[in-house]
Every structure is written in structure tokens, then in C-alpha cells.
Amino acid sequence: DIEKAKQLVAESGIQTPIKVRIGYKAGNQRRTETVAAIQSSCKDAGFNVEDTSKEDFFKEDLKNGDYEVALFAWSGSGLVATGQNIMGTGRPQNYGQYSNEKVDQAWDKLTNTLDPKEQVEQTTVIEKELWDTLFNIPLYSHPGVVAWNSKVRNVRVTAAQSTVSWNAYQWQVK
């Protein structure tokens, strides 16, 4: 909604064009095309979006915060308590230095309970608070597709990070 974006920018009183540097590891075609799409859609609303991709983005810029927007993804596992290291105050992979007392308290409860009901409650608190405070914005997801030949026995899908290959050592060809 370009017109609404223009209105909000005007109401903010910020001088345009607003410079926004988007950083990511160079050489990723999908991210290059994502930045081009963002540039195209945001220029008319008063934003000057710069592609600042670098080969050493993860080594330098990400850790130093040398960007306004970072494009990267963490691949979580199927475990209940993944993500605290990324979203918790003072955690080593929390490069954006996100800090939220409500999220931290929910993580502390989540990581110290085996009660499935409590896990759902605390996960819900975390996810709602992350969305409400715009910790990050998912741009897209990658669907998982799994297929195998019926001659291969003992292939079992799992929710673990290793996905279908987790038990490859047990596979047998008929």
C-alpha cells in the first residue's frame, strides 16, 4: 500500500528519501532478487533501499550491526525450546540485540518445564510478543518435500532438524 506508506512517512516527519541498507551474504540469488523487489516497491514511498551484500557479511556486518535490515535465516529444529539463543536478552546469536522482559520470562518458564500445556502457553506468549514488537518479519518459508523409492525400506520422516535422513544408516534396499 504505497499511498498508506507515503502517508505514514509524511506523518513521521522524517526527511525522505529514507536510507535503508539491506545486508546479507553475497552470492545468494534468492536474497538478491528479494532486495530488488523491496527496492522496487519501496522507492515510491520515499525509501532509498541499498543492497549492501558482502561475502563476509556473517563475519563482520551482521555482528557489528552495520545494516538497517539483515536478510538471513536460522534453521530451527523440531525441539520445543529452540530459539532462545536468538531471541533472548544478551544471548550470543541475538545479533539485533533484541531485549524484551516478557519474552525472557516466557523462555525461562519454557526451558524449565516438561508440561506440554505449559510449553504451548509459553510458546504462545513468545510468538505473540515477538510479532507485536516486530522482532523480525518472515518474508517467506520453504516447503519441505520428501520422496523416496518404494524399494528403500525403513525411511521414516521426523520433525528433527536432520529431516528425512536422520536414520539413513538404517535404510535397506529391497
Side-chain angles (χ1 to χ4, degrees):
D1 186 345
I2 299 296
E3 292 309 312
K4 181 67 174 181
K6 285 180 184 179
Q7 175 192 335
L8 292 172
V9 169
E11 289 172 4
S12 76
I14 297 173
Q15 271 308 90
T16 58
I18 300 167
K19 179 179 170 181
V20 178
R21 298 168 300 157
I22 301 182
Y24 60 98
K25 184 173 174 25
N28 184 313
Q29 187 63 34
R30 182 180 63 248
R31 286 191 169 78
T32 299
E33 291 174 11
T34 298
V35 172
I38 293 168
Q39 287 171 322
S40 175
S41 68
C42 291
K43 69 179 177 176
D44 293 335
F47 293 88
N48 179 21
V49 176
E50 295 180 13
D51 183 327
T52 59
S53 63
K54 292 183 184 169
E55 188 60 40
D56 64 352
F57 178 73
F58 288 107
K59 184 178 179 184
E60 300 293 330
D61 292 0
L62 181 61
K63 292 178 183 177
N64 298 333
D66 195 18
Y67 53 85
E68 281 75 48
V69 175
L71 290 181
F72 68 98
W74 290 112
S75 178
S77 74
L79 302 175
V80 172
T82 64
Q84 184 179 25
N85 202 35
I86 299 164
M87 303 163 206
T89 301
R91 297 290 178 148
Q93 292 178 310
N94 183 349
Y95 298 121
Q97 299 176 11
Y98 179 78
S99 182
N100 182 304
E101 188 175 335
K102 196 171 185 179
V103 170
D104 291 340
Q105 290 172 354
W107 273 117
D108 288 343
K109 290 177 184 175
L110 177 62
T111 58
N112 285 290
T113 184
L114 296 175
D115 177 7
K117 183 179 177 198
E118 179 73 9
Q119 290 172 345
V120 169
E121 288 174 14
Q122 297 311 316
T123 301
T124 302
V125 168
I126 292 167
E127 289 179 356
K128 181 177 183 334
E129 195 67 19
L130 292 173
W131 182 256
D132 289 349
T133 59
L134 287 177
F135 166 67
N136 61 23
I137 301 171
L139 299 179
Y140 43 76
S141 63
H142 300 281
V145 178
V146 177
W148 61 89
N149 188 305
S150 62
K151 293 180 182 178
V152 180
R153 291 187 293 189
N154 207 30
V155 176
R156 295 179 289 161
V157 179
T158 182
Q161 199 164 3
S162 56
T163 66
V164 73
S165 63
W166 73 276
N167 74 329
Y169 64 92
Q170 295 176 334
W171 296 354
Q172 299 169 348
V173 177
K174 287 182 188 176

